Amino acid sequence: MLVTSFKERWRAAELASAIEKSLKDEAVWLESSNPAKSIDVISRKLSSLVTSDFRRIHDLPECLTEAELLSAFFSGFSIVINKSINQQTITKTDYSIISLARGFAENIDLSHNQYLLEHASSVIKVGKNWDKHIRNVNQRANVRFKIK
């Protein structure tokens, strides 16, 4: 989704800042293989993908709650996976969003609301199916000759 108007770009920048502040102390981020400087790029990309999810919030907080952060990553995961399935190019930042969303999904606990628990479950299932899809695509790409 492209962020077009000035107001939307401003909101995306505010959201990126909130995502970055919330993400930098999360265990999933600290355990990831992403370089520390990539947090800014990942936050900006994620905010541009999910800014429409935060339209109903008039004043964005400086820092997101854990539930809001999880929801943002799960929504971003869905958008990026759909891009991949529709054969659009996925960048290194997109892969980082997928990886972090999967990490959050695997580490979620039962203290979260039912919506987040279900979304985490679907992230895990879709992630596994996406891995299979990528493996199949790569295997087909490596086959040079078909013997009939």
Side-chain angles (χ1 to χ4, degrees):
M1 172 182 287
L2 292 175
V3 179
T4 54
S5 75
F6 177 76
K7 185 177 180 180
E8 287 177 340
R9 287 194 309 257
W10 184 266
R11 259 180 103 60
E14 286 180 328
L15 182 58
S17 176
I19 290 170
E20 183 176 343
K21 289 176 184 173
S22 303
L23 181 60
K24 69 180 178 184
D25 296 325
E26 287 289 330
V28 171
W29 171 256
L30 298 173
E31 294 169 0
S32 75
S33 62
N34 295 307
K37 64 182 180 181
S38 68
I39 193 169
D40 179 53
V41 176
I42 292 169
S43 299
R44 282 187 283 126
K45 175 71 178 225
L46 182 62
S47 72
S48 71
L49 292 173
V50 301
T51 192
S52 62
D53 294 348
F54 289 85
R55 280 195 179 136
R56 285 175 261 125
I57 301 173
H58 295 292
D59 295 321
L60 285 173
E62 287 191 29
C63 196
L64 299 179
T65 65
E66 185 180 18
E68 291 169 333
L69 184 65
L70 293 174
S71 181
F73 268 96
F74 294 165
S75 295
F77 171 88
S78 298
I79 293 167
V80 172
I81 291 294
N82 282 332
K83 278 177 52 176
S84 171
I85 291 172
N86 292 326
Q87 298 179 348
Q88 295 176 3
T89 304
I90 294 182
T91 64
K92 189 175 182 179
T93 305
D94 293 332
Y95 282 111
S96 295
I97 291 170
I98 290 171
S99 174
L100 290 168
R102 290 175 82 172
F104 281 122
E106 291 169 359
N107 293 337
I108 198 166
D109 58 23
L110 297 176
S111 67
H112 292 87
N113 65 31
Q114 190 64 33
Y115 170 76
L116 278 179
L117 293 173
E118 289 172 1
H119 209 157
S121 175
S122 70
V123 165
I124 292 169
K125 289 176 188 171
V126 169
K128 288 179 182 177
N129 289 334
W130 184 70
D131 288 342
K132 290 177 189 175
H133 169 74
I134 295 299
R135 244 182 271 121
N136 289 337
V137 167
N138 289 340
Q139 285 175 350
R140 277 188 251 131
N142 290 333
V143 175
R144 293 184 181 188
F145 303 103
K146 292 185 180 180
I147 300 174
K148 293 184 179 184

